[in-house]
Amino acid sequence: MTHEPAPRGIPPDPWDDLRAHTQARLALGRAGAALPTAELLRFGLAHAQARDAVHIPLDAEALATQLQAQGCTTHPVHSAAPDRATYLLRPDLGRRLSDTDAQALRALGDQRNDGHPVDLLLVVADGLSSLAVARQAPPLIDAIRQQTPAGWQLGPVVIAQQARVALGDEVGALLGARLVAVLIGERPGLSSPDSLGIYLTWHPQVGRNDAQRNCISNVRPEGLPPAAAAARLWWLCQEARQLGLTGVGLKDRSDAVTLGMDVSESRDKIAAADSPRSAPRAP
């Protein structure tokens, strides 16, 4: 959000320097008992952008074309919610596949049952911001693929419409994935209508809850850039495979990984730091 410089004769706003570093609405001022007209117009624009992010449908075909150009195999699915209005009113339907797509994925999973299970399955879901998916999913998936550790098997990218986070549990179970990462449009804010979230679940199956997932939020250039989000995701994936779980039992300490330090080295350093012998003595 940009602010026009003060006209001649009007002293500069002392808050302008701080506003240059944040999208938060600071010191909006007032005109009598109301907000200034310029701030009301900015608020109206932000509110309209947030509504559009929720209601504009995801162009799944265009997204699939972009991902295929990156070398991904894609597979479209739809939740049990038949349309957007139903999706918003019935969150439970967005957590399960339509019967047709459930059967198709089950058949696809049987075909892939070759003794080499998928280590990480990516599910791209429109969620509450199709804008976030359209903007952030392609560069994020490209970064994830580029950073794939040796020996890890990625599955096809599943593109899910009218989908909630838990839909990834059913998709992952049908395709026999060890881990599923749901890349989903987050609920838009008035300064971030295009924020993407990542929800990682070990051994996905219907009935998993949010306490059994790890979340990486605010993936967008103004928040967590794609390359950094991919690095954090892979750190969590490798820790999840080591521990056999995700969720509250897996603490995100990816920031402890420094340049040139692999995951095992990082784990050793974290364990040493948590050891009682390393704790400072009380005076």
Side-chain angles (χ1 to χ4, degrees):
M1 183 180 299
T2 59
H3 293 267
E4 296 295 331
R8 285 186 177 183
I10 298 178
D13 188 337
W15 288 93
D16 281 346
D17 288 342
L18 186 57
R19 291 193 188 105
H21 300 285
T22 178
Q23 291 183 308
R25 286 173 167 77
L26 301 174
L28 301 184
R30 64 182 181 179
L35 287 172
T37 300
E39 293 300 337
L40 283 174
L41 292 174
R42 292 189 187 103
F43 179 86
L45 174 61
H47 188 259
Q49 290 174 330
R51 287 179 58 87
D52 285 348
V54 172
H55 291 285
I56 292 177
L58 174 67
D59 190 341
E61 292 185 4
L63 178 60
T65 300
Q66 283 184 277
L67 297 180
Q68 289 164 9
Q70 295 178 6
C72 300
T73 300
T74 62
H75 189 87
V77 298
H78 203 288
S79 77
D83 52 52
R84 196 63 175 172
T86 305
Y87 168 82
L88 294 173
L89 292 172
R90 291 284 305 274
D92 57 312
L93 296 180
R95 300 185 182 111
R96 297 302 301 269
L97 286 165
S98 67
D99 292 339
T100 300
D101 286 324
Q103 295 175 5
L105 280 189
R106 187 174 293 108
L108 181 62
D110 292 341
Q111 294 174 7
R112 294 182 58 87
N113 188 15
D114 55 2
H116 297 88
V118 172
D119 293 306
L120 176 63
L121 180 70
L122 300 178
V123 177
V124 181
D126 49 5
L128 291 173
S129 177
S130 60
L131 180 64
V133 174
R135 287 182 178 176
Q136 319 307 347
L140 175 58
I141 291 174
D142 186 47
I144 291 171
R145 285 166 52 85
Q146 290 184 22
Q147 297 182 32
T148 303
W152 281 73
Q153 177 71 31
L154 289 173
V157 178
V158 177
I159 301 175
Q161 292 181 274
Q162 316 297 5
R164 304 275 177 174
V165 171
L167 187 79
D169 298 333
E170 185 175 9
V171 173
L174 290 172
L175 294 182
R178 290 173 175 167
L179 281 160
V180 63
V182 178
L183 284 52
I184 190 167
E186 295 182 317
R187 181 181 292 107
L190 292 178
S191 60
S192 56
D194 60 349
S195 179
L196 192 75
I198 307 173
Y199 290 83
L200 181 68
T201 308
W202 170 259
H203 189 49
Q205 55 186 318
V206 175
R208 292 290 196 198
N209 57 53
D210 288 343
Q212 296 170 300
R213 315 185 200 282
N214 286 87
C215 176
I216 302 171
S217 187
N218 197 29
V219 180
R220 60 194 185 108
E222 300 84 356
L224 186 65
R232 179 166 296 182
L233 174 63
W234 279 121
W235 190 93
L236 288 170
C237 287
Q238 293 179 86
E239 288 293 296
R241 186 160 72 173
Q242 177 74 16
L243 299 174
L245 54 80
T246 48
V248 296
L250 172 55
K251 303 302 180 185
D252 182 0
R253 293 181 174 176
S254 55
D255 290 339
V257 180
T258 57
L259 188 62
M261 182 192 304
D262 63 22
V263 172
S264 61
E265 291 172 335
S266 172
R267 189 182 298 117
D268 292 341
K269 286 185 178 290
I270 292 171
D274 289 343
S275 171
R277 290 178 297 177
S278 65
R281 294 182 180 180

